[in-house]
Amino acid sequence: MGTKTVDEAGAQSGTEAKRDEEKVDVTKTAAPEEAAGARAEAADGPAAGTEDGDEFLAGQDTDRSEGSTGVGQGAGAVVSVALGVVSLTGGWIGTVAAARETLVGQLQTSSNAGVATQLKEVYGDAWQTTALWAGLFALAALVIGVVVLARPAFGAPGRPQAPWIKSVAWAGVAIGVIGLLLAVLKYTDALLGLPPAS
């Protein structure tokens, strides 16, 4: 009986060993198929990822080009306002030009010249030079503001201009118009003209 039990136990252990081997064989045969499937997925994955990556990069390039266009227009609008303010308040170029004109007037006017001649040569020409430079700055502000406002019409269709760019550009145009009007009035002596000589 003892021998039979040992034989049965040995047979059972042998049967379990065969089953374990079959399991090992099944996993060995299943593993290459899974590996082939993983290889196929890996082969398909980069291609799909590459297409997605290309679309993502194309979207980034579009965003960058839109951003750069907005930055250029915004800078133009701010420059327009700055030039308009310079036309109203005066700049160092106008001041230096007026001082030079005053010096030239003093050098070219004789000491026995009449009061009206001295006023015109020494002060009148200098004031007109200041008005001329102010008018040039105002005209530049006006032109740049108009170009910024008109830029979307010549750009990509369907790309709207940021509201703040429009607002600042309109401010530059308005200040440019005011500066240009004041410069013309001053240059023609309609505004703050020379005092009478007598």
Side-chain angles (χ1 to χ4, degrees), residues 18-166:
K18 285 182 182 178
R19 286 183 188 161
D20 290 340
E21 287 177 6
E22 287 175 1
K23 286 180 184 176
V24 170
D25 290 342
V26 169
T27 55
K28 285 180 182 176
T29 56
E33 291 175 1
E34 291 175 3
R39 286 186 198 133
E41 288 176 5
D44 292 341
T50 303
E51 291 173 3
D52 293 341
D54 290 343
E55 292 174 3
F56 178 72
L57 291 175
Q60 279 187 337
D61 292 341
T62 304
D63 293 342
R64 286 177 187 163
S65 65
E66 289 175 358
S68 63
T69 303
V71 168
Q73 292 177 14
V78 171
V79 167
S80 173
V81 170
L83 290 174
V85 169
V86 169
S87 75
L88 293 177
T89 61
W92 67 270
I93 295 178
T95 303
V96 169
R100 182 182 183 281
E101 196 63 34
T102 300
L103 182 60
V104 169
Q106 288 173 351
L107 292 174
Q108 291 180 349
T109 304
S110 62
S111 59
N112 58 0
V115 177
T117 305
Q118 288 181 3
L119 281 176
K120 182 182 182 319
E121 293 295 331
V122 177
Y123 299 105
D125 292 346
W127 292 350
Q128 285 183 340
T129 302
T130 303
L132 178 66
W133 280 101
L136 291 175
F137 278 111
L139 184 62
L142 181 61
V143 168
I144 292 173
V146 168
V147 167
V148 170
L149 289 173
R151 175 65 179 90
F154 301 103
R159 183 182 298 170
Q161 193 175 44
W164 72 269
I165 295 176
K166 288 182 182 178

